[in-house]
Amino acid sequence: MAIIEARNLTYTYPLSEKPAFKNVNLSIEKGEFVLLTGPSGCGKTTLCRCFNGLIPHFYGGKLEGEIIVAGLRTVDHPIHELAQHVGLVFQNPENQLFALNVEKDVAFGLENLGYPRDEIRRRVDWALKVTGIYDLRSKPPFELSGGQQQRVAIASVLAMQPEIIVLDEPTSFLDPLTARNILEVIYQLNRSLGITVVLVEHRLDLVARYANRIIVMNNGEIIADGEPRRVFLDENVKLVGIGVPKVVKLYLLLKEEGFDLGRVPLSPEEAYEAIAEVLAHDRG
Amino acid sequence: MIEVDNVYFSYPNGVEVLKGVSLKINDGEFVAIMGQNGAGKTTLVKHFNGLLKPTRGRVLVDGVDTRHTTVAALARKVGFVFQNPDHQLFSETVEDEISFALRNFGFDEKVIRERVNWALNLLDLTQYRKVSPFMLSGGEKKRVALASVLAWDPKFLVLDEPTIGQDSYQKEKLKQFILHLNHQGKTVIIVTHDIEFVAECEPRVILMANGRIIADENARDVLTDPELISAASLVLPEVTQLFMRLNDLGFPRKVISVYEAKRLILERLRQVMC
């Protein structure tokens, strides 16, 4: 059974006339790594807020259709219950951090759920280490840089080891090397523990290689949904102008000139192999 | 011209963030300052409009020492767009937000109206004129912050992480108008991690690590140097990663542009096919 299932989902914020998204049908299986993208203002953040019940419980407004997450109809279950299944990392880390030191922020969710002390200690240390902020554990979050705060927010969610992790542009403030390391950690959790990942991101160059599926939204509707190589070639997607990775762009430019590299490359390594092969083939 | 002369800076908690930084930015330049989180990039650019004053050394903006003037006076000349738009926005509507500084600087109402319309239009915000900035998405807020600074036409424009949260269409527009403003003679300084954006714009690149400048060169030379790039906690542009490997097959290494990549590969393909 799908771990996230939306049927004809339409949502309108309070005081707003136009729905933020409409008629969304979506089914995400356990263990998927889904990349959700689209132009700014397309409704992707709003959709994420439905996954852990922030919509409708916190934001109010009008939610039509049905959404079931981890077997629970979100409208019938409070946010704190849904939070045990779905961890959400916000776009702006300041909206999420509140404790007096990093360690307490990361431990907060586990303490609330009444985990034993040793277990909390073990999970908090692990989350601090994998996000590279162990040395900052006794600092107040508000003294940290944007990138460091973002890592605290990610650590707080990782520590909970929920079934589903939803990350809304989680690495926007991070330097690329740190961003890549964190995405690797998330990818490993996805592979080894089968945690379902929904990642909202514009920078597809960083994430295309991890996702098994890309969903593209525009103007509150899903306009493409499928395997990355296929979505990058989709005509609708081209019209919206999502930022395909540079190696995909190169593939498309060569194709316009009549040279087909065969498979759409999702990383420089794949592009290298395709080009080397074409050259070797033509030489022979 | 902005001159940074052997500047040291420590925050009140004693952490020394800048450790002897010197650089000159001439009028009309386009400069990208890059480096890892905590390298001192934002701290450095906050010296350009006097928000921070050096603990040691000095910063001169058009010959004026920032320690001997006010942020208000410098702001007219040095427009600063913060990394996090929530730190900058406060008005009830987008229109009020953009008018605010113009009123403060004493422009007359007619000019204010024109400048506001111009900025709204430039940044695709006209439809949000009467909307609260806090109702907008992250990427849209960022554009409101940018519009409010561009509206007063500062001589130096400092943009801290301008591409964060922008989709590729907005990024392309941002690139076009940064290049356009720069072409018209405005000095543009961006702080960014977005190496693909820098590879497309090809500005002068200043790399920082641990409070010091570790490179100051043209984009092509800096972005294709694997040691410098990893010292600054960046990742090589995708096209460069590809050409580092294609070097085995006799391709050049120093390639950052996807169009140049296409040209080089096509040339080779056409050769082998003849």
Side-chain angles (χ1 to χ4, degrees):
Chain A
M1 203 190 78
I3 196 155
I4 298 176
E5 179 96 50
R7 281 184 227 119
N8 296 321
L9 200 65
T10 298
Y11 175 70
T12 311
Y13 280 105
L15 307 177
S16 183
E17 286 158 22
K18 198 176 144 240
F21 59 77
K22 50 187 180 291
N23 287 324
V24 165
N25 284 290
L26 182 67
S27 176
I28 295 174
E29 298 297 321
K30 180 174 162 31
E32 282 203 87
F33 193 122
V34 177
L35 174 56
L36 179 59
T37 193
S40 77
C42 72
K44 48 192 192 311
T45 295
T46 306
L47 182 59
C48 288
R49 288 174 181 158
C50 296
F51 296 156
N52 71 344
L54 278 179
I55 288 175
H57 302 303
F58 177 78
Y59 284 95
K62 194 166 85 174
L63 185 67
E64 297 160 272
E66 188 165 49
I67 177 158
I68 298 168
V69 177
L72 307 169
R73 278 170 52 98
T74 60
V75 288
D76 299 334
H77 297 266
I79 295 171
H80 67 82
E81 190 186 342
L82 293 163
Q84 297 176 41
H85 303 278
V86 190
L88 178 63
V89 178
F90 293 58
Q91 201 167 24
N92 189 342
E94 284 184 5
N95 294 348
Q96 176 150 17
L97 306 176
F98 57 90
L100 292 176
N101 74 45
V102 166
E103 203 167 39
K104 286 191 179 131
D105 229 317
V106 177
F108 180 79
L110 295 169
E111 284 172 348
N112 261 358
L113 296 177
Y115 277 88
R117 200 183 150 75
D118 290 350
E119 177 71 7
I120 294 178
R121 179 80 272 156
R122 199 179 58 71
R123 288 219 213 167
V124 168
D125 284 351
W126 168 80
L128 291 171
K129 280 178 188 150
V130 294
T131 49
I133 50 169
Y134 190 72
D135 293 342
L136 302 175
R137 64 189 181 282
S138 44
K139 294 229 169 159
F142 296 102
E143 280 185 16
L144 305 180
S145 74
Q148 289 165 334
Q149 287 183 348
Q150 210 154 27
R151 284 188 272 170
V152 178
I154 294 169
S156 322
V157 168
L158 288 184
M160 302 277 286
Q161 295 187 356
E163 290 154 72
I164 305 165
I165 300 183
V166 181
L167 305 109
D168 192 357
E169 298 191 46
T171 64
S172 53
F173 292 96
L174 299 180
D175 58 59
L177 211 53
T178 310
R180 182 184 269 191
N181 292 341
I182 297 231
L183 289 169
E184 278 292 334
V185 170
I186 293 164
Y187 182 63
Q188 290 314 324
L189 291 172
N190 168 255
R191 294 285 86 192
S192 59
L193 303 176
I195 295 177
T196 307
V197 177
V198 179
L199 181 63
V200 175
E201 189 56 75
H202 291 301
R203 299 182 304 173
L204 304 191
D205 51 325
L206 274 175
V207 289
R209 66 189 75 182
Y210 303 116
N212 70 301
R213 175 174 173 190
I214 299 183
I215 297 173
V216 185
M217 290 181 73
N218 188 36
N219 280 328
E221 288 178 69
I222 292 178
I223 59 155
D225 179 357
E227 199 264 330
R229 290 178 222 277
R230 203 169 58 73
V231 168
F232 286 143
L233 299 181
D234 190 298
E235 288 301 323
N236 286 330
V237 172
K238 271 188 217 161
L239 290 176
V240 180
I242 65 164
V244 300
K246 280 291 181 311
V247 289
V248 175
K249 173 94 179 158
L250 180 61
Y251 167 92
L252 296 169
L253 288 172
L254 290 170
K255 204 168 178 193
E256 276 172 22
E257 300 284 340
F259 288 97
D260 195 339
L261 291 178
R263 215 159 73 117
V264 180
L266 296 183
S267 66
E269 293 74 29
E270 289 184 11
Y272 169 78
E273 279 156 26
I275 292 165
E277 194 175 318
V278 171
L279 286 173
H281 182 73
D282 285 336
R283 215 175 281 142
Chain B
M1 184 164 65
I2 296 177
E3 295 168 87
V4 178
D5 185 9
N6 200 26
V7 164
Y8 288 77
F9 179 80
S10 304
Y11 281 102
N13 62 10
V15 181
E16 190 171 59
V17 181
L18 298 179
K19 301 169 182 167
V21 171
S22 294
L23 69 106
K24 254 187 205 147
I25 297 173
N26 287 311
D27 290 355
E29 275 202 276
F30 177 15
V31 180
I33 300 175
M34 307 186 77
Q36 70 189 122
N37 291 132
K41 306 180 300 287
T42 298
T43 304
L44 174 62
V45 294
K46 280 183 177 167
H47 280 76
F48 296 170
N49 68 346
L51 272 178
L52 297 174
K53 317 274 186 190
T55 315
R56 249 200 294 162
R58 59 180 192 162
V59 175
L60 303 179
V61 175
D62 283 344
V64 177
D65 191 323
T66 59
R67 287 171 304 182
H68 304 141
T69 183
T70 61
V71 178
L74 282 166
R76 182 71 184 83
K77 211 168 230 184
V78 185
F80 197 104
V81 182
F82 289 90
Q83 185 177 79
N84 189 337
D86 289 337
H87 294 173
Q88 183 154 358
L89 304 175
F90 60 92
S91 299
E92 303 234 327
T93 68
V94 168
E95 188 173 41
D96 291 348
E97 187 70 49
I98 300 174
S99 323
F100 178 79
L102 295 170
R103 287 217 168 81
N104 263 359
F105 287 131
F107 287 94
D108 70 55
E109 283 302 317
K110 183 165 171 290
V111 176
I112 293 175
R113 236 179 359 259
E114 280 167 14
R115 302 294 306 173
V116 169
N117 288 342
W118 173 82
L120 286 170
N121 187 31
L122 185 69
L123 286 147
D124 263 352
L125 293 165
T126 306
Q127 57 174 319
Y128 300 126
R129 181 191 285 271
K130 298 287 181 196
V131 174
S132 159
F134 298 99
M135 289 299 290
L136 301 179
S137 77
E140 289 162 346
K141 280 185 198 168
K142 195 99 187 172
R143 301 212 301 278
V144 175
L146 187 52
S148 66
V149 171
L150 278 176
W152 82 77
D153 196 27
K155 179 178 169 192
F156 302 95
L157 186 62
V158 182
L159 309 174
D160 196 355
E161 296 286 3
T163 65
I164 285 184
Q166 299 302 318
D167 60 53
S168 77
Y169 170 74
Q170 291 302 338
K171 242 192 217 185
E172 182 61 32
K173 283 202 67 173
L174 184 70
K175 180 177 88 187
Q176 295 305 337
F177 85 65
I178 286 178
L179 293 173
H180 180 67
L181 290 169
N182 180 239
H183 200 70
Q184 290 180 328
K186 199 176 294 297
T187 310
V188 182
I189 299 152
I190 61 173
V191 172
T192 186
H193 288 132
D194 193 333
I195 201 145
E196 299 293 351
F197 188 75
V198 174
E200 286 175 27
C201 299
E202 304 202 23
R204 165 183 168 196
V205 177
I206 294 173
L207 277 192
M208 292 187 72
N210 303 315
R212 293 190 178 87
I213 291 177
I214 59 166
D216 183 354
E217 276 297 333
N218 64 68
R220 182 188 295 258
D221 285 336
V222 177
L223 300 192
T224 57
D225 186 326
E227 279 171 24
L228 282 177
I229 289 298
S230 86
S233 210
L234 299 169
V235 175
L236 292 167
E238 282 209 331
V239 167
T240 310
Q241 291 179 44
L242 171 61
F243 277 76
M244 291 279 162
R245 305 238 2 222
L246 285 174
N247 191 243
D248 302 353
L249 304 172
F251 283 94
R253 283 166 172 274
K254 287 192 171 188
V255 182
I256 57 176
S257 144
V258 70
Y259 296 99
E260 189 183 0
K262 170 187 120 172
R263 187 175 57 73
L264 289 165
I265 293 167
L266 277 180
E267 265 173 23
R268 178 64 81 80
L269 282 167
R270 288 189 172 125
Q271 263 171 25
V272 297
M273 289 181 86
C274 287

